[in-house]
Amino acid sequence: WIAKLRDYQAGHPIEMKIMFCHDGSELSQQALEKTIGFFSKERPEIILISVAEWPQGGTAADESAFSGGGRSEHHSVLMKAARRVSKLGYDVDAILAVGDVRKMILETVASKNPDILVAAKTGCPDAYSPESVSAYLICHAPCPVLVFH
């Protein structure tokens, strides 16, 4: 990542991948739009991930009920965001994962190797509480994490 920054500072074109955690919230959409605007000169590849979290305490017996509404709602929101980004002329990879949000995001980061991970802080009022997904990503992601709040 440092080598890419040096190339950028020297005026050399760089290839960049930015991964967005997209939950369909207004804040995650704003984070997507602002970050794309900030890096518009670089024309990065955009990776969108939405995680349909398995219901807490859920069992395999709950899978059929969950795979309908929860998964299709996340898929719809993800595809809408992907179409908006694609219309702006960016290459988009949209990923719908099912499972623990923290684990699924980090597994995707490991496989896609983005230069930057972008998340929107929603929910938990304290960004550094143990329940905070953004705090977890900051501590465990192998790339820089940009958190919008």
Side-chain angles (χ1 to χ4, degrees):
W1 198 85
I2 297 296
K4 283 188 179 187
L5 181 60
R6 286 188 183 128
D7 284 345
Y8 178 74
Q9 289 172 336
H12 303 296
I14 59 170
E15 290 186 24
M16 179 179 246
K17 286 195 270 185
I18 302 177
M19 185 171 148
F20 292 88
C21 306
H22 199 284
D23 63 2
S25 68
E26 185 177 325
L27 189 56
S28 68
Q29 186 59 40
Q30 289 174 2
L32 177 62
E33 291 170 6
K34 287 182 180 190
T35 306
I36 286 175
F38 184 72
F39 290 102
S40 62
K41 181 178 147 192
E42 289 78 21
R43 305 300 295 171
E45 175 188 343
I46 303 298
I47 304 163
L48 298 174
I49 182 169
S50 182
V51 181
E53 191 164 23
W54 188 259
Q56 197 163 25
T59 65
D62 301 321
E63 183 176 2
S64 62
F66 177 68
S67 46
R71 203 176 281 177
S72 64
E73 183 179 320
H74 279 272
H75 183 262
S76 174
V77 166
L78 181 64
M79 291 298 98
K80 182 178 177 181
R83 282 190 299 273
R84 289 176 76 174
V85 172
S86 182
K87 283 181 182 179
L88 295 173
Y90 291 88
D91 291 331
V92 182
D93 185 5
I95 300 165
L96 177 61
V98 177
D100 176 73
V101 174
R102 295 160 185 83
K103 180 180 177 184
M104 299 313 296
I105 291 171
L106 289 181
E107 283 181 8
T108 306
V109 166
S111 69
K112 295 294 184 175
N113 198 27
D115 297 295
I116 299 173
L117 175 61
V118 179
K121 185 183 125 357
T122 59
C124 186
D126 181 3
Y128 299 103
S129 78
E131 298 86 29
S132 170
V133 173
S134 56
Y136 186 86
L137 295 174
I138 290 168
C139 292
H140 295 93
C143 62
V145 179
L146 177 61
V147 179
F148 279 79
H149 60 92

